[in-house]
């Protein structure tokens, strides 16, 4: 059996790197996490930290910072802590931690005696109980600076959350980990002068926030400017939009942001230097993202800061020189991100412009990675960046401008890969690059690929699901990709001039505002995301310690309740996305789309149309009696029901166990869980209503419209209930943009739901539409009870399949699958394509012999620079159809197989 993880045949080092990560985490860390009662309850409150003076890693500022943080955590627990250069100076009765690089003279004998090795790969971590000079010690080690910092910070985190901190340092640890993804980035965006200046200028915030990121093993921080608008048109708030004039006065140019004082500009630059220095001091990579290079804002009479002093003739040279000056002024900036398609304000295909701007990076004389946002760009622009000699990364969106389930879309929406008409511009010709990995995963590429998760789905509500985060960790490195950048919670708050004075957290109830700042509401989110992206097999103890500190006996139920609720919006986004743009769809506060008027809701495409179908398409399948095997709205509704029931059940248990149900942190978790569980019920019932209504429109069956009306009323009731939960908790106008879909409150949406419901009620009493065909005379009750359509639509025959380890270009690839003993298949269809989202699927009927179904991916098709992906459509004698491997019980796996070139 195979879970659907990537099978690959190239980049041996990279594949082994990922494989060893999982093996090390499971095999070694499993012995390391024991309950505090198992050791050292009566240990003296003294700790010694021993460091090796000869170890070069120990002299690095990030390591010194981490050791200081460890000391602070111990002192905060009233534990005496002393630093020693030699073990012989430490009393034998003092709990001792040795901090050393894995290759140091202090660490080597401990590792050898313990029979443990720390791999010589970037950012590997070791926590090993061993012997030194005949004494029991805990070795905190790493393969490099970051690895050693992570080891020390893990101990500091344990101390912070442990009831018996000294006992935590006496554990019999044998933990070795290494990262599953080379890049694990968090992006913070400045998009509103009103809402973002406060945190930008707050030095205390930066120190705490960056320390938290490093503790959770995020290794890159991206400070993002220029994403306040989609394009340079109708601009009201231009602060930092075209970034350079807000930071610099460039000699030789009279460029300025009109209305910005020199003092404020210089303060901005001073703060940027501070942020960069604090980031790199902790060992994080600092990435500067410059998404806009427009100076002329169209249709913007009310813009607050107009850019003066630029013309088409000096634009490129100014940007080059400003970038050069900026990088020289902040020499610790490690890399630069650019948006290069027309939304940057620079016309598509302006290769000379970007060549000039990239030269601003080159002139500094230091290797700095260039990251290109992938939308609309072609290989000529990538080659222009590569010609600089800098490392180049292309960064596609993971799931359009939203967040779906952890796998990459098996297919993008049809309108995204339609061929351009003759004469259309490059951006239109490469429309398929807008919302996924596109055609960038060639085996012969000379650039890295890094995914970016946009803030369309999850912006405001608390999120935390270890299973989903682990899935993202496993599939962010598909075909040798480098990892992922997450646009953090509250990204786009106040965007496009919608910023409001007051609290940024959205709370109307002041008692719910986190005392440490809005970002501290999401500490659990950062913890889950960062640690799982580093190691998808991270032990549960890492996040449960945090929950136990917050919620005591209720921690376990809080964990499960929030995890199930956190899957809801990701599943909805995957199965039902009216707009790939974050500007047109916000499922957290869903703007109602009518079922009746124009039959719109029934026709909304899934974000993955290869694996999911619309309500309208499901109605066609009901009428024809032929299933495609794709996940129907009814199946999605069942998943949503299960998630809502589990979230609500565990929330009830948590309320019964928590010491103080009025505690703000518990209330925040409880309310957001309740809202997301309510959203699950709302969508589950509305999807059922849409399926029944679509069937009614095609057949005229009154029983179907009666069912639709019943389900829609239940949907409306669920929304009314969650709106009531949110009322008084969140402000009436939560703004992530100026348009109605991007702002407001849950209660605002009821009016449109009621109108659509009234339209359906009225239509149910009118003369029904005529059946579309003779086949459409089937009744709803009969159609939905057919094998493969009703409650057990996704019951499956168990199968055996071993995906090929690799393939050779120009050679056929045999694919075989068999039902397990006692199970039967009646037919099977192989679906395959290149790992290129502009490519259409090929299909072939599989033949059976001796109970094994087989088909070949043709040699001609494998003669390509692209890896391959495939899945199998299976039929059983009862008429049921399903896709293999499909989604597993927690929806966190990859529902297809990937094969790479040998």
């Amino acid at each position: 059996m195979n879970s659907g993880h990537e099978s690959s045949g190239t980049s041996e080092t990279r594949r082994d790197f990922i494989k060893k990560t999982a093996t090390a985490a499971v095999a070694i860390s499993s012995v390391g996490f024991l309950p505090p009662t198992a050791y050292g309850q009566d240990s003296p409150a003294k700790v010694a930290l021993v460091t090796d003076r000869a170890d070069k890693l120990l002299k690095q500022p990030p390591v010194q910072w981490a050791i200081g943080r460890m000391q602070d955590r111990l002192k905060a627990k009233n534990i005496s802590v002393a630093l020693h250069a030699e073990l012989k100076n430490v009393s034998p009765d003092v709990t001792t931690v040795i901090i050393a690089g894995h290759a140091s003279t202090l660490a080597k004998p401990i590792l050898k005696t313990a029979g443990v090795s720390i791999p010589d790969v970037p950012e590997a971590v070791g926590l090993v109980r061993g012997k030194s000079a005949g004494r029991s010690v805990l070795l905190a080690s790493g393969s490099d600076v970051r690895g050693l910092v992570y080891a020390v910070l893990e101990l500091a985190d344990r101390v912070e959350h442990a009831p018996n901190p000294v006992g935590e340092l006496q554990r019999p640890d044998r933990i070795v980990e290494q990262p599953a993804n080379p890049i694990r980035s968090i992006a913070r965006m400045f998009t509103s002068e009103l809402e973002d200046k406060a945190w930008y200028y707050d030095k205390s915030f930066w120190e705490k926030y960056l320390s938290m990121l490093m503790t959770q093993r995020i290794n890159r921080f991206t400070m993002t400017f220029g994403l306040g608008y989609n394009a340079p048109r109708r601009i009201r708030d231009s602060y930092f939009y075209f970034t350079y004039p807000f930071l610099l006065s460039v000699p030789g140019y009279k460029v300025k942001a009109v209305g910005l004082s020199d003092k404020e500009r210089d303060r901005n630059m001073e703060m940027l230097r501070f942020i960069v220095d604090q980031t790199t001091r902790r060992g994080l990579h600092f990435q500067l993202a410059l998404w806009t290079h427009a100076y002329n804002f169209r249709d913007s009479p009310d813009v607050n800061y107009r850019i003066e002093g630029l013309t088409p003739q000096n634009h490129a040279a100014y940007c080059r020189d400003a970038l050069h000056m900026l990088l020289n002024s902040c020499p610790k900036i490690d890399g630069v991100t650019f948006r290069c398609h027309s939304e940057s304000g620079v016309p598509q295909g302006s290769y000379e412009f970007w060549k000039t701007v990239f030269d601003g990076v080159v002139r500094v004389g230091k290797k700095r990675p260039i990251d290109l946002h992938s939308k609309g760009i072609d290989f000529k622009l990538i080659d222009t960046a590569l010609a600089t000699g800098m490392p180049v990364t292309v960064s596609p969106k993971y799931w359009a401008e939203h967040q779906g389930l952890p796998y990459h879309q098996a297919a993008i929406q049809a309108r995204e890969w339609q061929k351009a008409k003759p004469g259309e511009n490059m951006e239109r010709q490469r429309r398929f690059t807008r919302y996924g990995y596109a055609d960038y995963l060639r085996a012969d590429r000379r650039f890295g690929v890094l995914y970016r998760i946009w803030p369309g789905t999850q912006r405001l509500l608390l999120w935390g699901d270890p299973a989903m985060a682990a899935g993202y960790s496993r599939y962010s490195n598909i075909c040798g990709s480098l990892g992922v950048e997450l646009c953090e919670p509250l990204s786009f708050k106040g965007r496009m001039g919608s910023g409001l004075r007051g609290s940024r957290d959205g709370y109307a109830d002041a008692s719910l505002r986190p005392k440490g700042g809005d970002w501290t509401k999401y500490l659990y989110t950062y913890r889950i995301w960062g640690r799982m992206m580093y190691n998808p097999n991270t032990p549960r103890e890492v996040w449960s310690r945090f929950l136990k500190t917050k919620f005591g006996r209720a921690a376990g139920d809080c964990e499960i309740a929030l995890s199930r609720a956190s899957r809801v919006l990701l599943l909805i986004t995957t199965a039902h996305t009216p707009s790939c743009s974050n500007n047109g769809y916000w499922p957290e506060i869903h703007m109602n789309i009518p079922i009746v008027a124009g039959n719109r809701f029934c026709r909304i495409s899934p974000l993955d149309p290869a694996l999911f179908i619309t309500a309208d398409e499901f109605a066609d399948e009901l009428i024809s009696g032929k299933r495609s095997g794709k996940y129907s709205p009814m199946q999605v509704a069942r998943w949503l029901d299960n998630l809502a029931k589990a979230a609500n059940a565990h929330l009830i248990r948590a309320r019964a166990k928590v010491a103080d149900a009025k505690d703000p942190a518990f209330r925040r978790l409880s309310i957001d869980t309740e809202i997301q569980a309510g959203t699950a019920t709302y969508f589950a019932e509305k999807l059922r209503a849409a399926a029944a209504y679509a069937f009614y429109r095609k057949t005229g069956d009154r029983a179907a419209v009666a069912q639709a009306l019943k389900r829609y009323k239940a949907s409306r009731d669920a929304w009314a209930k969650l709106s009531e939960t949110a009322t008084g908790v969140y402000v009436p106008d939560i703004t992530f943009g100026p348009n109605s879909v991007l702002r407001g409150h849950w209660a605002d949406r009821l009016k449109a739901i009621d109108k659509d419901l009234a339209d359906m009620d009225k239509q149910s009493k009118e003369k029904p539409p005529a059946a579309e065909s003779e086949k459409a005379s089937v009744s709803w009750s009969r159609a939905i009870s057919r094998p493969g359509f009703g409650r057990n639509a996704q019951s499956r025959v168990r199968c055996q399949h071993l995906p090929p380890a690799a393939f050779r270009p120009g050679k056929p690839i045999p694919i075989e699958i068999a039902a397990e003993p006692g199970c039967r298949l009646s037919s099977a269809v192989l679906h395959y394509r290149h790992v290129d989202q502009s490519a259409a699927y090929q299909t072939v009927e599989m033949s059976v012999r001796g109970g094994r179904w087989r088909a070949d991916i043709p040699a001609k098709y494998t003669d390509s620079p692209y890896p391959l992906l495939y899945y199998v459509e299976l039929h059983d004698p009862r008429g049921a159809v399903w896709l293999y491997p499909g989604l597993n019980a927690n929806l966190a796996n990859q529902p297809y197989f990937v094969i790479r070139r040998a």
Side-chain angles (χ1 to χ4, degrees), residues 293 315 340-351 353-354 427:
H293 277 76
H315 183 201
C340 297
H341 67 95
S342 62
E343 289 176 6
S344 69
V346 178
Q348 196 76 18
S350 299
Y351 304 107
F353 176 91
W354 292 112
E427 193 167 340

Side-chain angles (χ1 to χ4, degrees), residues 134-155:
R135 295 170 50 177
S136 176
V137 297
L138 177 61
L139 172 66
S141 189
S143 61
D144 56 12
V145 170
R146 279 192 191 135
L148 188 52
V149 168
Y150 293 154
V152 175
L153 293 180
E154 166 63 16
L155 296 182

Side-chain angles (χ1 to χ4, degrees), residues 520-741:
T520 62
K521 169 180 174 175
Y522 307 100
L523 287 174
Y524 186 65
T525 304
Y526 290 112
R527 178 177 292 262
I528 291 289
W529 188 258
R531 292 302 294 266
M532 286 303 197
M533 288 305 300
Y534 178 87
N535 175 11
N537 299 303
T538 293
R540 180 170 176 255
E541 190 269 350
V542 168
W543 59 87
S544 65
R545 72 169 76 120
F546 175 86
L547 293 176
K548 286 175 183 176
T549 301
K550 293 285 186 184
F551 310 122
R553 290 176 54 245
D557 287 299
C558 287
E559 176 192 335
I560 298 172
L562 182 60
S563 72
R564 300 308 183 269
S566 296
R567 290 177 201 172
V568 169
L569 294 171
L570 277 60
L571 174 58
I572 291 167
T573 298
T574 304
H576 177 92
T577 302
S579 173
C580 291
S581 168
N582 80 92
N583 303 300
Y585 186 44
W586 181 18
E588 264 185 334
I589 307 182
H590 181 245
M591 177 65 72
N592 188 66
I593 296 171
I595 293 176
V596 176
N599 200 24
R600 284 177 57 202
F601 190 89
C602 304
R603 294 174 179 168
I604 287 171
S605 172
L607 199 44
D608 184 356
L611 302 186
F612 292 80
I613 55 172
T614 68
D616 212 47
E617 291 167 336
F618 181 61
D620 288 336
E621 290 190 358
L622 284 170
I623 293 166
S624 67
K626 296 178 180 178
R627 286 287 281 120
S628 63
K630 296 180 182 182
Y631 296 113
S632 72
M634 308 299 270
Q635 175 61 47
V636 174
R638 283 191 288 275
W639 280 328
L640 291 171
D641 277 345
N642 291 337
L643 293 173
K645 288 174 184 175
N648 287 327
H650 284 279
L651 194 54
I652 290 169
R653 294 176 192 172
R655 285 172 177 151
K657 294 177 183 178
V658 73
D660 181 7
K662 294 182 180 179
D663 171 67
F666 180 75
R667 287 181 61 211
R668 287 193 295 267
L669 182 146
S670 176
I671 290 164
D672 285 7
T673 297
E674 204 172 326
I675 290 172
Q676 290 175 91
T679 304
T681 303
Y682 162 77
F683 268 100
E685 295 293 8
K686 188 164 182 178
L687 287 169
R688 291 185 178 106
Y693 182 78
F695 187 87
Y696 165 73
R697 292 275 297 182
K698 295 171 184 289
T699 65
D701 181 12
R702 286 193 178 277
V705 76
Q707 178 70 6
L709 198 56
K710 176 184 174 181
R711 294 298 190 178
Y712 206 176
K713 287 177 180 176
S715 174
R716 190 265 180 207
D717 289 346
W719 192 268
K721 184 179 178 181
L722 72 88
S723 298
E724 186 177 349
T725 299
T727 298
V729 171
Y730 286 103
V731 295
D733 190 16
I734 304 166
T735 59
F736 284 87
N739 304 326
S740 58
V741 73

Side-chain angles (χ1 to χ4, degrees), residues 160-195:
E160 180 179 357
H161 294 290
N164 176 16
V166 175
E168 282 291 317
L169 302 179
Q170 296 173 345
R171 289 162 51 158
D173 275 316
R174 294 185 67 189
I175 298 171
V176 176
E177 297 177 282
Q178 62 190 67
N181 295 281
I183 299 177
R184 308 173 304 280
S185 184
I186 290 287
R188 174 165 275 252
M189 303 176 182
F190 191 110
T191 57
S192 168
E193 181 180 15
L194 279 176
E195 298 203 16

Side-chain angles (χ1 to χ4, degrees), residues 309 431 467 581 657 875 887:
R431 184 183 174 96
S581 168
K657 294 177 183 178
H875 300 244
L887 291 167

